[in-house]
Amino acid sequence: MAAGEEPEILFWVGCAGSYDERAQKITRDICKILHHVGMKYAVLGTEESCTGDPAKRAGNEFLFQMQAMTNIEVLNAYNIKKIVTGCPHCFNTIKNEYPGLGGTYEVIHHTQLIQDLINEGKLKAEGGESFKGKKITYHDPCYLGRGNGIYEAPRKALEVLDAQLVEMKRCKSNGLCCGAGGAQMFKEPEKGKKDINVERIDEALETNPQFIAAGCPFCMTMLSDGIKLKDKEQEVKVLDIAEITARANGL
Amino acid sequence: MVAQILFLVITLAAIALFTVNFRKIIRNIRLGKSVDRNDQPQKRLITMLRVAFGQSKMVVRPIPAFLHFFVYIGFVIINIEVLEIMIDGIFGTHRIFHGLGGLYNFLIGSFEILALTVWVSCVIFLIRRNVLKLKRFRGVEMTNWPKSDANYILITEILLMSAFLLMNAADAKLQFLGSSHYTLAGSFPVSQYLMDVLPSSENALIAIERACWWVHIIGILAFLNYLPYSKHFHILFAFPNTYFSNLEPKGEFTNMASVTNEVKAMLDPSFVPAETEAGKFGAKDATDLSWVNLMNAYTCTECGRCTSVCPANITGKLLSPRKIMMDTRDRITEIGKNIDKNGAEHQDGKALLDDYITREEIWACTSCNACVEACPVNIDPLQIITELRRYAVMEESQAPGSINAMLGNIENNQAPWKYSPADRFNWAQEG
């Protein structure tokens, strides 16, 4: 980036993608996919900082706007036009809430990028692990689905695998939250009779899947914790759509 | 002549009383903060036609959607009959529109079939609420009044439809007997079956017909005046509420302009802020919310679709989006009553936050938008929760400890966790 070259697309990694060990794997797989299709991309590295999403959802608009304006300054300085994010929260914030503060970009989520690449014929599902006939259920992240109406892109990315896609009872616009949104990720839940991620995992397990597909690092944490709690780690794998795509292409 | 004058007096009094109460609600809504919802009129109109007129969001639950559709259509169409009742009442005529001939027979016949479907639907609704006791109609906020309110509405509709059908049955029988005032008009596909249970004396039939006519029209006027005290107000507010609903993606939260000014001034000392409303950040009381939030509250008919899909509520937390809306409505109504009694400056020392909605409720929200998606009339409980959080965080610095820690991390390390910004790119070296 510092070399003054302008990339085709900026990959916004996000805090989870940068620091969370599990999410780092997803980050690296997104890079592998970008590399595989020969796309010229860049990351901000240490110049990236939190979009401000958790601060905004928690009600701290000051902190959100401080973060937003600092980020916008960096993005505009590099003349960024198009951004792909690895997280629906970063996606929603940059796409919807940055324009009003002076940062207007074309923003897509990585599942949309994967769908585009499949549509353009640049990405297939070959040369790697076969998911043919495998039972996969997809969990809609709230900020991708209801928040922004994106239900099809992640499913298209899975359809190409020739796998058996099974929907949970509550899916798409009726999808049940994993329990992490609205800054819940960073606090203990209020008292109740069940944790939200356990409610969701119970529902996912009803479909008897081999894989649970996710599209959000926070959902990933909540769903993985749920699977661990249910002691199903051997039978059911929770994978991000980027990881599934990378595996299917042997990346 | 006495009957005509009495009719006119009752009707005018009912309309006047309704106008007074309706204007009070409009006044209460206007106590909210301003927000511009006049953009994109065409898109707004389409939203209203689709969601309110077309009931598009009801179909998610087919059984209540089906039953509600009958009641809705019945309500809209049978009101054409009210026009005739009004004219007859004022001028002392009987079935003034009978001159329409075949069309009139068709209309009356249709009203009868609709009246029957409304009647049956309302009975099923009563059974769902009181016998089957569906989970959706329970919950901490569904105290005695909301439960009774729902039953009063259903029972009133059943009585109105019964009076309408009984009136027609008596009328048909009088026509059959050749009673002088009762011209041959209308068709009675439903009420013809009621004719047999009625007496055959002409005087008794006239008494029944007149009594039902009065019960029907006074019932409608009474119901109109019940609306401002009831959740049933949605039959009017569903339309403006959908028209003025949020058209942006649900994930997008508003950027607070007052904050933008301060942040810009902080980052650039030479920045001169534009004039904005001074005031507190977020909402502590109902008057700190926007007028759209308050209209939402008056529109809510307490159906509970929001609460039934809320992940926090499903897993046993205190939060219930329906309660958020009911509390907001009850609080702004209370503020309105205070103004009527003690003047605009009166403070009762209470507030929406803490006196109605607890901290535990607002912090249980995952901002997942399921409640917003589920609402058949585009009510947005999440916006109210967010405004209350904004007040708690920005005005009081009162948030759960772990939330404060997360905010501190963002402030100091530009990430919600306690990692060094210098390590942000480490993911590229491992794995």
Side-chain angles (χ1 to χ4, degrees):
Chain A
M1 280 300 280
E5 274 183 79
E6 278 180 24
E8 222 175 305
I9 198 162
L10 177 89
F11 173 26
W12 184 275
V13 180
C15 300
S18 300
Y19 294 115
D20 180 278
E21 237 176 274
R22 181 70 189 82
Q24 284 178 342
K25 289 186 191 162
I26 305 167
T27 303
R28 285 192 287 268
D29 278 350
I30 294 173
C31 290
K32 282 179 197 164
I33 294 166
L34 287 163
H35 186 76
H36 174 67
V37 298
M39 205 174 226
K40 235 172 93 182
Y41 74 97
V43 293
L44 287 175
T46 53
E47 283 183 273
E48 192 186 284
S49 78
C50 176
T51 60
D53 163 81
K56 192 174 181 86
R57 305 313 137 190
N60 195 333
E61 183 73 6
F62 272 104
L63 188 52
F64 160 71
Q65 291 200 13
M66 291 288 283
Q67 287 299 117
M69 285 190 207
T70 313
N71 283 325
I72 289 167
E73 215 167 282
V74 174
L75 290 167
N76 288 352
Y78 284 120
N79 202 16
I80 297 301
K81 298 277 183 299
K82 190 171 179 180
I83 299 173
V84 60
T85 76
C87 168
H89 296 266
C90 299
F91 164 75
N92 175 69
T93 305
I94 302 174
K95 177 177 176 285
N96 296 322
E97 293 161 357
Y98 277 23
L101 300 170
T104 307
Y105 320 99
E106 185 191 344
V107 189
I108 56 171
H109 181 249
H110 70 270
T111 58
Q112 291 177 297
L113 177 75
I114 292 171
Q115 184 203 12
D116 288 345
L117 292 171
I118 290 170
N119 289 349
E120 289 164 19
K122 290 181 185 160
L123 193 60
K124 294 186 177 69
E126 52 189 33
E129 186 181 334
S130 170
F131 286 86
K132 194 167 189 267
K134 297 268 170 65
K135 234 179 178 186
I136 306 180
T137 188
Y138 169 66
H139 164 84
D140 286 280
C142 303
Y143 277 85
L144 198 60
R146 270 189 299 273
N148 287 287
I150 296 160
Y151 302 108
E152 285 315 310
R155 287 178 170 79
K156 284 270 153 57
L158 293 172
E159 270 167 29
V160 77
L161 304 171
D162 210 5
Q164 190 189 346
L165 294 185
V166 279
E167 293 290 356
M168 287 181 247
K169 233 185 271 158
R170 288 172 285 197
C171 63
K172 297 183 182 168
S173 63
N174 190 33
L176 182 75
C177 176
C178 70
Q184 298 294 333
M185 180 73 191
F186 309 100
K187 62 184 264 296
E188 285 305 311
E190 276 60 31
K191 66 175 191 300
K193 53 182 201 284
K194 198 175 182 181
D195 279 341
I196 295 172
N197 65 328
V198 177
E199 169 86 7
R200 188 51 163 170
I201 267 308
D202 281 339
E203 190 172 19
L205 290 177
E206 272 174 39
T207 67
N208 237 338
Q210 287 158 290
F211 297 95
I212 299 172
C216 168
F218 297 139
C219 298
M220 173 58 73
T221 303
M222 299 307 265
L223 296 170
S224 304
D225 286 353
I227 284 291
K228 258 179 238 158
L229 192 85
K230 294 277 161 186
D231 211 8
K232 292 274 180 194
E233 283 168 288
Q234 294 310 311
E235 302 97 302
V236 188
K237 302 276 175 231
V238 187
L239 292 177
D240 190 276
I241 288 190
E243 294 178 295
I244 296 177
T245 306
R247 280 198 194 185
N249 287 281
L251 306 176
Chain B
M1 196 58 191
V2 177
Q4 284 165 252
I5 291 167
L6 188 64
F7 176 82
L8 209 59
V9 169
I10 291 173
T11 307
L12 290 177
I15 292 171
L17 185 61
F18 175 75
T19 309
V20 168
N21 283 323
F22 184 75
R23 288 178 62 164
K24 268 185 194 165
I25 287 179
I26 298 294
R27 189 264 328 259
N28 291 353
I29 290 173
R30 288 205 168 133
L31 294 172
K33 299 265 172 292
S34 69
V35 54
D36 181 28
R37 287 284 169 87
N38 287 309
D39 57 321
Q40 310 178 66
Q42 204 180 348
K43 201 170 171 192
R44 294 190 175 283
L45 190 66
I46 291 169
T47 305
M48 180 176 78
L49 290 174
R50 199 183 64 233
V51 179
F53 278 99
Q55 315 244 310
S56 60
K57 290 175 87 177
M58 289 291 288
V59 294
V60 178
R61 293 168 191 259
I63 296 170
F66 189 67
L67 298 171
H68 181 269
F69 179 75
F70 283 128
V71 179
Y72 163 66
I73 285 291
F75 166 77
V76 172
I77 295 182
I78 297 173
N79 274 333
I80 301 173
E81 169 72 11
V82 175
L83 184 66
E84 186 180 48
I85 290 181
M86 287 289 168
I87 297 172
D88 283 347
I90 296 165
F91 297 104
T93 49
H94 185 71
R95 295 195 180 267
I96 183 83
F97 295 148
H98 78 269
L100 296 169
L103 177 63
Y104 186 76
N105 292 351
F106 171 75
L107 283 176
I108 296 294
S110 317
F111 297 160
E112 285 222 331
I113 291 166
L114 283 169
L116 179 67
T117 55
V118 171
W119 198 95
V120 172
S121 300
C122 288
V123 169
I124 297 173
F125 280 147
L126 274 177
I127 293 170
R128 282 164 60 89
R129 280 180 181 267
N130 300 292
V131 182
L132 302 178
K133 296 192 167 136
L134 263 58
K135 187 165 184 287
R136 183 151 63 85
F137 303 124
R138 290 182 274 142
V140 285
E141 68 276 21
M142 296 309 280
T143 50
N144 282 336
W145 164 245
K147 280 185 180 162
S148 307
D149 187 15
N151 287 333
Y152 296 156
I153 294 160
L154 292 169
I155 291 165
T156 307
E157 283 176 17
I158 289 170
L159 289 176
L160 286 176
M161 292 305 115
S162 303
F164 175 70
L165 289 170
L166 214 53
M167 171 185 87
N168 275 359
D171 196 310
K173 201 157 181 175
L174 286 162
Q175 290 181 26
F176 184 71
L177 294 173
S179 185
S180 60
H181 190 63
Y182 293 88
T183 37
L184 277 176
S187 66
F188 307 98
V190 177
S191 63
Q192 57 177 323
Y193 298 104
L194 296 172
M195 281 166 71
D196 289 342
V197 299
L198 295 178
S200 41
S201 118
E202 190 176 345
N203 285 338
L205 284 170
I206 291 174
I208 291 170
E209 194 274 338
R210 282 294 88 193
C212 287
W213 188 89
W214 281 100
V215 166
H216 185 61
I217 189 64
I218 291 176
I220 286 173
L221 294 172
F223 202 41
L224 179 73
N225 276 292
Y226 180 63
L227 291 183
Y229 302 97
S230 158
K231 74 183 191 96
H232 207 48
F233 220 38
H234 82 290
I235 63 173
L236 301 178
F237 267 148
F239 302 98
N241 198 70
T242 46
Y243 183 87
F244 292 114
S245 62
N246 177 30
L247 300 178
E248 305 308 322
K250 290 190 185 70
E252 180 179 340
F253 285 25
T254 51
N255 288 333
M256 296 169 71
S258 50
V259 171
T260 310
N261 280 332
E262 298 209 13
V263 172
K264 276 190 176 155
M266 253 153 83
L267 295 174
D268 174 13
S270 65
F271 173 78
V272 182
E275 282 293 313
T276 49
E277 266 181 81
K280 49 174 138 8
F281 296 116
K284 179 180 170 54
D285 209 347
T287 45
D288 301 325
L289 296 167
S290 79
W291 66 270
V292 173
N293 300 145
L294 300 179
M295 181 173 61
N296 278 184
Y298 278 112
T299 307
C300 175
T301 196
E302 303 165 9
C303 73
R305 282 167 173 76
C306 51
T307 295
S308 73
V309 295
C310 172
N313 192 275
I314 288 170
T315 54
K317 278 85 176 174
L318 206 54
L319 173 64
S320 164
R322 169 171 56 191
K323 178 176 178 291
I324 300 288
M325 300 319 300
M326 291 167 71
D327 284 344
T328 304
R329 180 200 58 207
D330 291 349
R331 176 56 187 158
I332 197 66
T333 304
E334 184 177 56
I335 292 172
K337 279 185 187 156
N338 281 337
I339 292 173
D340 291 336
K341 237 192 264 170
N342 308 307
E345 297 308 311
H346 177 78
Q347 300 286 332
D348 63 1
K350 290 207 253 171
L352 182 62
L353 184 61
D354 293 333
D355 290 310
Y356 283 81
I357 299 171
T358 62
R359 313 266 165 167
E360 187 178 336
E361 289 164 76
I362 62 169
W363 289 111
C365 174
T366 68
S367 74
C368 77
N369 263 305
C371 54
V372 184
E373 178 77 33
C375 181
V377 289
N378 288 357
I379 291 170
D380 191 339
L382 176 52
Q383 251 181 27
I384 296 176
I385 295 171
T386 307
E387 289 302 325
L388 295 172
R389 280 187 178 185
R390 282 172 171 174
Y391 180 83
V393 170
M394 288 193 282
E395 291 284 346
E396 300 181 317
S397 303
Q398 269 196 40
S402 44
I403 289 286
N404 280 332
M406 177 271 287
L407 296 170
N409 288 334
I410 296 181
E411 229 175 306
N412 300 321
N413 321 319
Q414 288 80 52
W417 297 286
K418 216 170 186 150
Y419 294 114
S420 160
D423 294 338
R424 192 176 264 274
F425 200 33
N426 289 0
W427 58 267
Q429 277 110 50
E430 296 154 30

